[in-house]
Amino acid sequence: PVPTAGRAAAPPPPAPAASVRSDARRSWDERAQRDRRKLAGEKSTRYTIQLMLACEIPSLTDAWKHDLPAGTMWLLPREHKGRACFRILWGRYPTLQAATAAQSTVPSHFRRGANRPAVIDAQKTLLP
């Protein structure tokens, strides 16, 4: 018999769905912690617009499709009813007036149904 050269190794089995979900969750958790550290160092960012609260990864992924221009949206961790969730935020503003004026720039996706984006005090989100 003639040996077959260059036979490719069998591909690894697909990762279990739970593993993929935990990796995705870890990625969002890391992003939220980076954004939290950034906010802690930005004393000029006093206000932001909370677009929504998301507890599920598909909700975050869907929301991020509307981050235009890229980098306008950011996250902070938030516990809600005993669950680890995220505040999805829009922009960084030095004054209440600037944040209020920017509400008109929020994508319409976040103004559907009962969802009402609201201006919040960004620095208060750092309090325990």
Side-chain angles (χ1 to χ4, degrees):
V2 178
T4 57
R7 181 179 283 201
S19 174
V20 171
R21 280 193 301 270
S22 67
D23 287 346
R25 179 68 186 207
R26 186 173 16 262
S27 174
W28 288 107
D29 285 335
E30 289 168 359
R31 175 182 228 149
Q33 289 306 323
R34 276 193 312 270
D35 287 347
R36 184 177 175 79
R37 286 189 300 274
K38 183 177 178 181
L39 175 61
E42 292 178 340
K43 299 305 176 198
S44 64
T45 299
R46 285 291 318 201
Y47 297 91
T48 187
I49 301 167
Q50 182 171 310
L51 300 175
M52 62 185 280
L53 186 66
C55 300
E56 303 295 331
I57 300 307
S59 298
L60 287 165
T61 303
D62 183 53
W64 237 257
K65 293 175 187 174
H66 304 279
D67 183 24
L68 300 170
T72 305
M73 289 171 50
W74 51 294
L75 290 177
L76 288 176
R78 170 70 178 200
E79 187 173 313
H80 179 69
K81 296 183 180 179
R83 296 180 67 194
C85 300
F86 301 93
R87 288 179 184 227
I88 300 177
L89 306 165
W90 181 263
R92 298 166 183 269
Y93 308 98
T95 66
L96 178 60
Q97 294 78 13
T100 301
Q103 280 186 296
S104 65
T105 68
V106 168
S108 62
H109 171 81
F110 298 104
R111 289 186 254 130
R112 293 185 181 149
N115 195 36
R116 296 288 177 256
V119 172
I120 62 170
D121 184 327
Q123 294 299 320
K124 284 187 179 179
T125 64
L126 293 173
L127 300 175

